[in-house]
Amino acid sequence: SGEFYQRATTEASQATLASVSPVFAVMKLDKEGNTTYFEKKKTELYQELGLQARDLRFQHLMSIATRNNRIIMRMEFLKAVITPEFLLILDYRNLNLEHWLFNELASQLAGEGQLVTYSLPFEFRAIEAILQYRISKLQGRLNTLQPQILETLEALVDPKLLSVDRSKLHILLQNGKSLSELETDLKVFKETILEILDEEELIEELCLSKWTDPQVFEESTSGIDHAEEMELLLENYYRQAEDLANEARELRVLIDDSESIIFINLDSHRNVMMRLNLQLTMGTFSLSLFGLIGVAFGMNLESSLEEDPRIFWLVTGIMFLGSGLIWRRLLSFLGRHLEPPLPPHVPAVLKKSQPAAGRVELKNNLKGETFGLSRSTLTNQ
């Protein structure tokens, strides 16, 4: 009775676990582009595919792995399982994927699209279609960010502006955050493909037809092995991701340089205002200093000077003349201490004795002044 009770408890627990197993909404596409839709539990799906439960866990945002002659791919929201005969898209009910899944993917797999692998086995077309979708999404994000960032920087980098629009800075901050996320996604994409390119065995495992139909696999219209064609395919999309990363990096450098220009413009206007304030302060000090004479003569004290009508003009002239002279002296003192010092004179003997150092310094100056030029131009200069 104890064994019967233990067996019944085990069956009940297994039934309970099977009932709570997640259900995948599956979209199945075959070689001819025919599409079928169905729902299946995770336990039933990985058993039919000859996989294990952890293979359909999709832990990473991007991954490409092979298990039991199956390719398991994850591209952000896209979860796919590729076999030599069909492609499974799991959890396809996503608003971001509907247009591509229903309008483009089936025709691409059937060889009607613009894929360069239309003459190769089915897994080549499926991998290229998914990689092309991911690259197009990254390219679209960059194309959306680039004009917004350039427009915002053009509005901010203006030497005539005495202040910075906070709304523009807020937009630039949001775009900078989106650009950082794009750079991270591009980095993950490149690292995932590079891990496969560094291992020859992984590249061969992606060629599923090698294990199912070796005769079809050995045939090649270009005269090279299909494993090499898989490597060329991955290298192509790695290079496209590298180009996008370079464009994103240039935008990042442009943002950093523009921030420096903005700070320089603000510091320049701030220095002008501080200089004007200092000049007005010195003028006020000069007038106040010689204004003591007028204060002295304005007291209710009798003397013989107030009877002479010329004393008023004489004292007033001395006050303004003295104030002007002191103000001029203070301005000249301020100018001498605010002007940058002249560079030290280098004797001609030192210039002739150090030609190599001069060339190195000239090259560094050219690099600093010609930001954005090509290497060939710098070498010619």
Side-chain angles (χ1 to χ4, degrees):
S1 59
E3 294 178 357
F4 177 77
Y5 176 76
Q6 184 177 4
R7 186 183 306 170
T9 305
T10 305
E11 293 178 355
S13 61
Q14 291 178 353
T16 304
L17 289 176
S19 62
V20 299
S21 177
V23 178
F24 287 121
V26 184
M27 178 179 181
K28 182 179 179 180
L29 301 99
D30 58 11
K31 297 180 180 181
E32 288 75 23
N34 300 323
T35 307
T36 55
Y37 309 93
F38 56 89
E39 293 184 355
K40 185 160 292 190
K41 292 183 179 181
K42 180 179 180 179
T43 54
E44 299 176 356
L45 184 61
Y46 71 71
Q47 289 176 0
E48 290 182 3
L49 296 174
L51 302 175
Q52 297 182 1
R54 62 174 177 270
D55 296 330
L56 300 181
R57 196 173 297 161
F58 299 102
Q59 300 176 2
H60 307 285
L61 289 179
M62 178 171 178
S63 62
I64 303 175
T66 55
R67 298 285 190 276
N68 194 19
N69 204 28
R70 304 286 187 266
I71 300 175
I72 304 169
M73 297 186 66
R74 172 74 183 268
M75 295 288 171
E76 200 174 5
F77 299 109
L78 180 62
K79 306 173 186 177
V81 178
I82 303 173
T83 70
E85 294 80 18
F86 55 84
L87 166 65
L88 298 181
I89 304 296
L90 309 182
D91 293 335
Y92 67 91
R93 295 170 182 173
N94 192 312
L95 297 178
N96 298 327
L97 303 177
E98 283 186 353
H99 176 75
W100 175 70
L101 289 175
F102 298 109
N103 299 331
E104 300 180 11
L105 181 58
S107 60
Q108 289 177 345
L109 296 178
E112 300 175 1
Q114 299 178 353
L115 300 182
V116 297
T117 56
Y118 63 92
S119 60
L120 294 174
F122 177 76
E123 65 268 17
F124 285 78
R125 300 198 298 270
I127 291 176
E128 185 180 8
I130 294 175
L131 292 178
Q132 188 183 67
Y133 164 76
R134 181 59 176 164
I135 283 293
S136 63
K137 295 294 288 186
L138 296 174
Q139 179 72 55
R141 289 168 58 184
L142 182 62
N143 293 338
T144 303
L145 283 175
Q146 189 171 12
Q148 296 178 0
I149 292 176
L150 294 178
E151 182 181 358
T152 306
L153 292 179
E154 185 178 359
L156 290 175
V157 183
D158 190 353
K160 298 180 181 179
L161 295 177
L162 298 179
S163 61
V164 179
D165 190 357
R166 293 185 178 181
S167 61
K168 296 291 184 181
L169 286 178
H170 183 66
I171 295 174
L172 183 62
L173 180 62
Q174 292 180 339
N175 291 334
K177 183 179 178 181
S178 301
L179 184 61
S180 299
E181 294 176 354
L182 176 61
E183 290 176 336
T184 302
D185 293 340
L186 287 170
K187 181 181 178 181
V188 173
F189 184 89
K190 293 192 301 178
E191 290 177 351
T192 303
I193 295 182
L194 191 60
E195 289 178 358
I196 301 176
L197 291 175
D198 291 339
E199 298 292 338
E200 184 177 356
E201 296 179 357
L202 296 179
I203 297 177
E204 293 182 355
E205 290 177 357
L206 292 177
C207 303
L208 304 180
S209 300
K210 179 178 182 180
W211 316 106
T212 57
D213 193 355
Q215 183 177 0
V216 174
F217 181 80
E218 291 174 358
E219 296 177 357
S220 177
T221 57
S222 58
I224 62 176
D225 185 62
H226 281 179
E228 297 179 359
E229 295 196 79
M230 178 65 72
E231 183 177 359
L232 293 176
L233 172 64
L234 297 177
E235 285 183 353
N236 177 36
Y237 285 97
Y238 178 84
R239 186 174 63 253
Q240 293 185 30
E242 183 68 24
D243 294 339
L244 293 179
N246 291 334
E247 294 182 14
R249 194 178 302 113
E250 291 177 0
L251 275 180
R252 174 64 60 188
V253 172
L254 185 61
I255 290 176
D256 296 339
D257 293 342
S258 300
E259 289 179 354
S260 301
I261 294 175
I262 293 172
F263 293 145
I264 290 173
N265 290 336
L266 292 178
D267 290 339
S268 177
H269 292 301
R270 190 181 298 110
N271 292 337
V272 170
M273 299 302 296
M274 292 176 62
R275 188 185 182 96
L276 178 61
N277 187 23
L278 185 58
Q279 291 175 352
L280 294 177
T281 302
M282 290 187 298
T284 305
F285 170 76
S286 303
L287 289 175
S288 301
L289 182 63
F290 278 87
L292 295 176
I293 301 176
V295 174
F297 278 94
M299 291 188 298
N300 296 326
L301 299 177
E302 295 181 0
S303 63
S304 58
L305 296 177
E306 66 269 8
E307 297 177 358
D308 192 349
R310 294 172 298 179
I311 293 298
F312 171 78
W313 301 109
L314 179 61
V315 172
T316 305
I318 292 174
M319 289 172 54
F320 282 100
L321 181 61
S323 300
L325 290 176
I326 291 179
W327 191 36
R328 291 293 301 173
R329 293 289 296 177
L330 291 175
L331 289 179
S332 62
F333 174 79
L334 178 65
R336 286 196 306 269
H337 286 77
L338 290 182
E339 289 180 357
L342 296 176
H345 178 69
V346 180
V349 178
L350 294 178
K351 293 181 180 179
K352 294 180 180 180
S353 62
Q354 298 178 354
R359 286 197 296 269
V360 173
E361 183 179 357
L362 178 60
K363 183 181 290 186
N364 293 331
N365 292 335
L366 286 175
K367 287 183 179 180
E369 294 175 359
T370 56
F371 175 75
L373 296 179
S374 61
R375 294 184 178 179
S376 60
T377 307
L378 292 175
T379 305
N380 295 331
Q381 291 180 350

